[in-house]
Each structure stands twice: as structure tokens, then as C-alpha cells.
Amino acid sequence: MKIMVKSRTLYDKIWDNHLIQSENDTSLIYIDRHLVHEVTSPQAFEGLREAGRKVRAPEKTIAVPDHNVATTSDRLTNFGSEEGRIQLETLDKNARDFGIHYYAVDDIRQGIVHIIGPEQGWTLPGMTIVCGDSHTATHGAFGALAHGIGTSEVEHVLATQTLIQQKSKNMKVEVSGELGKGVTAKDITLTIIGKTGTAGGTGHVIEYCGNAIESLSMEGRMTVCNMAIEGGARAGLIAPDQKTLDYVKGRPNSPKGEKWDQAVKLWKTLFSDPDAYFDKEIFLKAEDIAPVVTWGTSPEDVLPITDFVPSPDNFRGSKVEAAKRSLEYMGLRPGQKLQDIEVDAVFIGSCTNGRIEDLREVEKIVKGKKVKSGIRAMVVPGSGLVKKQAEEEGIANALKDAGFDWRMPGCSMCLAMNPDQLLPEERCAATSNRNFEGRQGRGGRTHLMSPAMAAAAAITGRLTDVRDI
Amino acid sequence: MEKFNILEGIAAPIPLINIDTDMLIPKQFLKTIKRTGLGENLFFEMRYDQNGNEIKDFILNKDHYSKASIIVGGANFGCGSSREHAPWALKDFGIKCIISTSFADIFFNNCFKNGILPIIVSEDLHQILLQDAEMETTSIMKIDLENQKIVRNNGDQLDFEVDEFKKYCLLNGLDDIGLTLKSADKISSFEKEYSKKFSWS
């Protein structure tokens, strides 16, 4: 007798592997990895203590301070603020009291939670990974179902190692063809958001596919998945392939020996069946993607660098008012050439673009050149190990010689919780993920772009087409 | 968690689209290790000027609307980060219900965990409710969760949809962890089977 098996997407397969029970639309799913940082966890641990509960699976729970840590070399004694110090101390105490894995501020492996997960081999294909941070989507680059959760859910996962979920819909984003010169993973992910809008993926898990996606390195794939959330999707996925296995193999916490062979056997089943159903499909040609920047205060406000600041009249409905407000906040006028916009600051780092490959891209552009005088340019490596590697490869010296400020690892000016902030009306070319009002400091003006584009802006002092450098 | 059944209160109109979590509660207030006390910093940058004075034009600073318990907000409400500080700030301010045409996923979930009811309505109903909210005299609405009705000031009743399980939790003020732990045996037996098949996890 032939048994008919329903075609499934990659998301469906991971979901099915972790489904404990399901009633009506509400399911309980098992969580393989829980990443914890200092900002969204204190209230969750406090809840556990009040209820007399333990962490159910401390061996699957990994804590690291990143959002709030200072990035100056004296950060072990200078915390930036008293509240910040208390928050770090609270994480330290919670990690030790509850016996979870922990990378303290003075550990060279400390860094942004989404950078050290993959780096330390905690992130593996086919897993369910959660963290009280929306950029958990990053880990989807490994074919893991990874998404952000709130603090109540952090407490729920700590106590039960499960999450109450409703299954999302499936969305496919296929990018095919060959990327042009100067076009990077960041340009792909921003272009997708520009096309679908910040609510385009709401209620969906996105699977990114197509040969342009396959051609990306693991670092590039992480950049793409990282910003699934800016497109409204809680999670983004890329099917694992040989590149994924090569990246994962030999990491401190990845499986070894017989377990590795078992894992690889299962990981090879992690792909969407050819006729699997997607509720929504988007197709892009790689050749149509240019180096891009954002002009407004929503990540969907994306344009090729060769373009002009749009007029609110170009939009419809409630976006007209939103665009007016954005232009006023950003201090821009319709019709201005994007390449004429001068910047005051450059920020290179974040979970979107704080990996070694990103720093190599920056070095290629700035080596032997100087940051334009008057511009504040800062590089914040994503982890202590990225920092070390960049120092060993000579990248750090090249960047310092060019005039960049070389910092200790952390989230830094991506969300500006620590003292790394923009001043009111200060304009920044940033490799981070959000250009919201006040995101990088009250009144600060953020233009999102790739590391190469941000490096180019540092040299010329204005938004610049990296292909001209 | 406090039970949610019938809410009668002032609805404040904030029609701006893409109200993000940084707008709801900026990062400098995320350093707290408590869930309470964030209400005075809700919409901080829209509510206060650089010197910390109230901006009179902002809706929640107006006498009538400063007592609002409902927001009629623009599309994609709550986009951005996963910070639960956003619903904590709303709750601390006194907001118990948000009505919009769409919400960001994580924020939507976080609301329910804190006794706040996010309601999704059609564009047409949204326009009607926004107009109601804009006039002080018609801005008082009633939200009846049990019967899934929004009752306008003129007595009109509008239906809304809500997930059964989330409704049940809100009506009874249930804490998710307690509910899940009722299935502790199921979790343990799942874990046992799972760790055989996925030994490396």
C-alpha cells in the first residue's frame, strides 16, 4: 500500500518535529535553545523566584549581556549608568543562581547574543530557538525556526522549555540571478522590505530561497534572516546546505562523532518539498537589486542610492502623512539627490552586520584612506572573538589608521541603550536594522545601509554609491 | 493576571501608522528590572519636549484623553522590538484595549500576556471608531469581550473576532505557565522521545 505524504515546507517540518500538543489553533512546541540577555530577562527570573520555579533545562539556556554593556575599554568598572550596572549585575546573579550557560562581560566569547549563538555552535539546523529579542530571526540562516518572544514568554520557556504558539502561514521569497557589483546581503534584505512593506510578512514565516540566496556566505544569510522581523515576519529561514554544515562543524557546542553523523542525516531532510504550498510568494531578480539606503523612519523606506528623496505625494492613504512626518524628522526635502545627503556619524556593527565578513568589507573600502574630517566613525565588533580575529587579520589597525573608533563588543548604537548615542539632528550612516525615530538617540537621524556603503559614506562624508569608490 | 470582561472608557485616536515599540517606550527606560512604573514614559518623545515639559498638542496630554483606557491606533501597531516594556507601559498608563487594522505579531502576543486586548477591525470600522474617538462626546466606548462587541456611544454594536484560547485566558485572568504545567507529563514524555531522535539537541 502506498502511503500518501503531504508535501511540507521547511517550516512545516521543523514545526512537526517540535509539536507536543495542539488544540484548535493553539499548540505547544518544544524549544531547543533559549538565549537570554540582560534587558528582557530580569522580570522573568523574578517571576520564577516568586513562584518557586526552576529553569527546566538550564543546559539549553544561554545567557550573555549585550544590549546595555558599555563598549569602552574601561567597561568592567565604568558601566555608563547606575541602572545599567544593576541590570548587568542582575543577569550575572540570575545566570549563576539558575545554573545556565553564561558568557560574562570579561569573557572573550561575550558578544551580541545573535552572533555568539552561531559562533559557539549553539545554533544548529532544524532547531527551535527563542530569545527575548526580535532579531532572533538571525538564526534562521541555519534552517532553524528562530524568533523573538516577550518577557512573559521568556519566563514560560524558562519554566517549561515550551512555548504556546499558533502556527504561522508560509511565505516564500525567492531571489534568483547574479548579484551586481557592490550589492550585498544587506541590500537584498532591505530591498525585500522595501517591496513587501514592514507588515508584508505579518503572520508568516519567510523562507528565503533562490540561487542568489544560496550564493551568500553564512554571514550574508544571517544578515538576510536578521531583518525578517523588519518585514513583519517573526522568523526567516534558509534551508541548510553544505555551507551550513561547514560553518557548524567543529564549533564548541556542535555535535561530534556519531552524533554529528546522525545530525547530518536528519539535517539533509530539512528543505521544502518541491510542491509544498506557500500562502504568499515573492520573486525578485538579483540583477534588479542595487546598493540601497533608507531615507525615512521606517525600514520600508528603501531606495537605490542613485535615486532621489521622494515626495509624500508619491504615496497613498495613511503613508502620505507618515512620509511627511518622516521627511520632517529626517530634515530632508523631496527631490534631493540621496548622494548629496551629508552625514555626521557612521556606525558599523550590530547583529545585522557585526560579523568578520562585514568588517572585511569595510576594510576593503577604507584601507589606505581616511575618514572625512569631522565625522564620528565607530566600529563595534559583534563579539570578542570577531574582535580578536579582526585584530589578527590586521583589519583593526587598518580601520584605526583610517580614523575609526575601534570598540568593545555589544549592541551599542544600534539601539543606543548604552552611552553610544546620536545627538539631536545628528545624521548617521548605520549598518544596523532600524531607522525609527529616536532609535539611535533622541532626534538622531538614521540611514540604514550595507557595511560597504557605510564605509564609503565615512570616506566621502555623504551617502555614496559604493560602486564609485 | 487581572480578569478582562467589560471595559467602558475613553478611546484616544492615534491614527499614525507603524507606531513602533521605540515610540511606545524608548530604550533609556529598558534598564529597569521591574514591570511597573513605565506609564509616565509611554510615548515619551511625543509626549514631552527636550526639557521634559508636556507637549500640549499630544493627544494623551489633553485633559480628557489623559484618562483614556482605549487607543484607536494606525496600522501595523507595535512593530519593532519584542520588548514587553511596551505593553507594560501601556498598562501602567491605564490602556486596556487597542483597536487597529493590524498589529505586529510579537506585540500582539505580548498584549494578551498582560491583560490588554488588541482588537483587529476592518478599514471601514476603523474609520468609524477613529471619528468617534476624535470627538470627546463620542469617545466613550464599551468593549464587551464575552460577547465580542464594541459598543459605540450611540448604542451601535460592532462585532469583533478574537482567538478562543486567548479570550478564555483574558476572561479568567489565567497565567500561561500554570496552564502549561498541567501538561507536564506530556512534556516529559515528548522530551524523552525527542532526545532519542535528536540526541544532539
Side-chain angles (χ1 to χ4, degrees):
Chain A
M1 191 178 70
K2 195 176 168 189
I3 300 169
M4 293 293 282
V5 182
K6 190 174 163 284
S7 296
R8 294 182 297 166
T9 63
L10 171 56
Y11 170 52
D12 295 337
K13 290 179 183 178
I14 303 174
W15 176 271
D16 290 347
N17 285 343
H18 293 84
L19 185 62
I20 300 170
Q21 60 180 18
S22 201
E23 206 179 313
N24 301 322
D25 281 342
T26 304
S27 302
L28 193 65
I29 62 163
Y30 192 72
I31 300 301
D32 292 311
R33 293 285 181 266
H34 186 191
L35 310 173
V36 173
H37 65 85
E38 77 277 25
V39 175
T40 57
S41 70
Q43 296 86 350
F45 283 110
E46 186 194 47
L48 287 189
R49 279 202 185 86
E50 281 169 4
R53 291 176 177 136
K54 290 191 293 191
V55 174
R56 184 183 168 95
E59 73 282 6
K60 298 177 186 218
T61 312
I62 299 103
V64 65
D66 59 359
H67 281 58
N68 210 348
V69 295
T71 57
T72 46
S73 53
D74 62 349
R75 64 179 182 167
L76 296 180
T77 49
N78 182 3
F79 300 93
S81 74
E82 177 58 8
E83 284 166 301
R85 187 192 66 78
I86 293 171
Q87 205 168 50
L88 289 173
E89 196 179 271
T90 306
L91 182 70
D92 197 86
K93 180 172 162 49
N94 286 331
R96 293 176 205 278
D97 284 0
F98 288 93
I100 61 183
H101 297 283
Y102 179 48
Y103 303 102
V105 189
D106 60 358
D107 189 319
I108 187 152
R109 299 168 297 175
Q110 178 268 343
I112 305 173
V113 64
H114 308 309
I115 296 208
I116 70 159
E119 204 168 71
Q120 293 300 320
W122 294 113
T123 303
L124 297 172
M127 282 187 159
T128 48
I129 303 176
V130 294
C131 173
D133 186 279
S134 58
H135 290 109
T136 309
T138 312
H139 309 264
F142 292 80
L145 176 60
H147 58 78
I149 54 177
T151 298
S152 296
E153 290 172 316
V154 170
E155 186 179 339
H156 190 278
V157 177
L158 287 172
T160 68
Q161 204 57 30
T162 68
L163 195 62
I164 299 171
Q165 282 282 283
Q166 282 168 310
K167 199 174 174 204
S168 302
K169 291 181 180 161
N170 282 288
M171 175 168 168
K172 176 161 92 172
V173 176
E174 188 175 314
V175 188
S176 50
E178 204 171 318
L179 291 170
K181 186 184 162 225
V183 180
T184 67
K186 185 64 165 286
D187 301 298
I188 296 179
T189 205
L190 282 172
T191 301
I192 293 167
I193 299 161
K195 189 176 163 91
T196 60
T198 49
T202 302
H204 294 76
V205 165
I206 298 177
E207 181 176 343
Y208 299 96
C209 60
N211 56 2
I213 298 290
E214 288 162 20
S215 75
L216 296 174
S217 65
M218 288 314 293
E219 285 85 353
R221 293 177 189 186
M222 284 189 252
T223 301
V224 170
C225 289
N226 172 276
M227 290 191 73
I229 184 68
E230 274 70 36
R234 289 183 84 171
L237 286 168
I238 296 173
D241 59 11
Q242 192 55 43
K243 272 186 204 169
T244 320
L245 301 189
D246 292 344
Y247 182 100
V248 166
K249 196 167 191 178
R251 302 261 160 194
N253 297 288
S254 63
K256 312 276 178 313
E258 202 181 316
K259 278 188 181 173
W260 171 263
D261 298 336
Q262 283 171 3
V264 170
K265 207 169 148 197
L266 189 123
W267 294 343
K268 292 204 162 153
T269 67
L270 296 174
F271 55 85
S272 287
D273 297 327
D275 49 353
Y277 176 74
F278 287 90
D279 301 271
K280 205 170 178 178
E281 293 182 321
I282 306 281
F283 297 92
L284 273 95
K285 283 195 189 125
E287 292 80 4
D288 294 341
I289 302 175
V292 292
V293 293
T294 62
W295 54 268
T297 56
S298 169
E300 68 191 14
D301 301 337
V302 174
L303 282 174
I305 182 65
T306 47
D307 220 317
F308 300 83
V309 174
S311 161
D313 303 337
N314 300 0
F315 300 98
R316 281 185 311 171
S318 43
K319 187 72 187 169
V320 177
E321 275 309 308
K324 271 187 203 160
R325 188 184 165 95
S326 282
L327 291 183
E328 199 185 317
Y329 180 86
M330 293 297 289
L332 298 174
R333 45 173 214 287
Q336 225 176 324
K337 207 175 168 195
L338 289 171
Q339 290 181 79
D340 287 343
I341 299 172
E342 293 185 353
V343 300
D344 308 299
V346 173
F347 170 66
I348 288 161
S350 86
C351 58
T352 316
N353 285 121
R355 285 169 283 267
I356 190 71
E357 185 178 275
D358 301 314
L359 303 186
R360 287 183 191 138
E361 287 293 316
V362 173
E363 188 206 13
K364 268 190 221 159
I365 304 293
V366 306
K367 197 168 186 178
K369 299 191 181 75
K370 291 281 177 202
V371 170
K372 189 159 189 218
S373 93
I375 290 188
R376 177 158 78 106
M378 181 191 275
V379 186
V380 184
S383 74
L385 292 176
V386 168
K387 179 171 181 280
K388 183 169 171 261
Q389 190 176 349
E391 284 164 356
E392 285 167 0
E393 290 183 17
I395 296 171
N397 279 337
L399 267 49
K400 282 192 262 188
D401 289 347
F404 278 90
D405 190 4
W406 182 250
R407 295 292 190 123
M408 298 295 283
C411 298
S412 179
M413 211 200 270
C414 172
L415 86 167
M417 268 196 78
N418 72 4
D420 307 344
Q421 299 187 6
L422 292 181
L423 299 168
E425 300 191 359
E426 204 176 4
R427 191 182 295 284
C428 181
T431 66
S432 46
N433 42 55
R434 288 192 179 132
N435 51 351
F436 295 161
E437 285 180 23
R439 171 79 177 181
Q440 294 194 280
R442 186 171 185 155
R445 295 163 172 170
T446 304
H447 295 274
L448 302 175
M449 62 195 75
S450 72
M453 288 282 285
I459 302 302
T460 63
R462 51 179 175 78
L463 301 186
T464 298
D465 190 337
V466 68
R467 294 167 297 192
D468 297 339
I469 293 274
Chain B
M1 198 170 74
E2 205 180 319
K3 290 182 186 175
F4 189 117
N5 190 2
I6 290 175
L7 166 69
E8 190 161 9
I10 297 168
I14 310 184
L16 186 66
I17 58 166
N18 295 330
I19 290 178
D20 59 66
T21 51
D22 282 78
M23 276 184 197
L24 289 167
I25 186 84
K27 64 267 164 193
Q28 64 267 38
F29 304 111
L30 308 186
K31 292 180 186 175
T32 178
I33 56 169
K34 296 188 168 59
R35 292 174 203 247
T36 51
L38 290 164
E40 60 179 313
N41 302 316
L42 178 69
F43 285 111
F44 184 78
E45 291 179 10
M46 294 159 97
R47 227 165 120 199
Y48 305 103
D49 66 19
Q50 299 274 12
N51 302 316
N53 301 312
E54 281 194 359
I55 298 169
K56 290 209 166 56
D57 285 352
F58 184 61
I59 190 84
L60 297 179
N61 287 337
K62 293 182 181 171
D63 208 27
H64 175 74
Y65 292 103
S66 67
K67 297 182 280 289
S69 55
I70 301 164
I71 288 175
V72 184
N76 200 25
F77 196 100
C79 60
S81 94
S82 65
R83 60 186 71 163
E84 204 159 310
H85 307 69
W88 293 339
L90 286 159
K91 186 184 175 188
D92 200 55
F93 181 88
I95 303 296
K96 295 194 172 104
C97 174
I98 304 161
I99 302 170
S100 178
T101 50
S102 63
F103 291 89
D105 285 342
I106 304 179
F107 176 81
F108 187 73
N109 252 328
N110 283 344
C111 281
F112 283 101
K113 312 281 180 192
N114 291 282
I116 298 171
L117 173 65
I119 300 178
I120 300 172
V121 293
S122 67
E123 290 276 0
D124 292 347
L125 288 191
H126 190 248
Q127 278 308 317
I128 291 170
L129 295 171
L130 258 181
Q131 279 169 17
D132 279 358
E134 274 158 8
M135 297 278 287
E136 287 193 9
T137 46
T138 54
S139 67
I140 298 173
M141 300 178 187
K142 190 161 98 177
I143 311 293
D144 179 349
L145 176 57
E146 174 92 64
N147 298 301
Q148 297 179 212
K149 304 267 186 212
I150 301 171
V151 185
R152 294 174 63 199
N153 201 251
N154 67 4
D156 274 7
Q157 300 196 0
L158 313 173
D159 295 325
F160 66 87
E161 297 292 320
V162 59
D163 171 68
E164 276 303 314
F165 177 73
K166 290 189 166 95
K167 176 180 171 181
Y168 169 76
C169 290
L170 270 188
L171 282 173
N172 296 290
L174 293 176
D175 146 47
D176 281 349
I177 299 179
L179 278 176
T180 299
L181 287 175
K182 283 188 190 164
S183 307
D185 290 349
K186 258 194 160 162
I187 299 172
S188 295
S189 57
F190 175 90
E191 212 166 27
K192 219 167 151 184
E193 286 304 306
Y194 181 82
S195 62
K196 272 187 220 157
K197 197 171 165 197
F198 301 85
S199 61
W200 60 90
S201 289

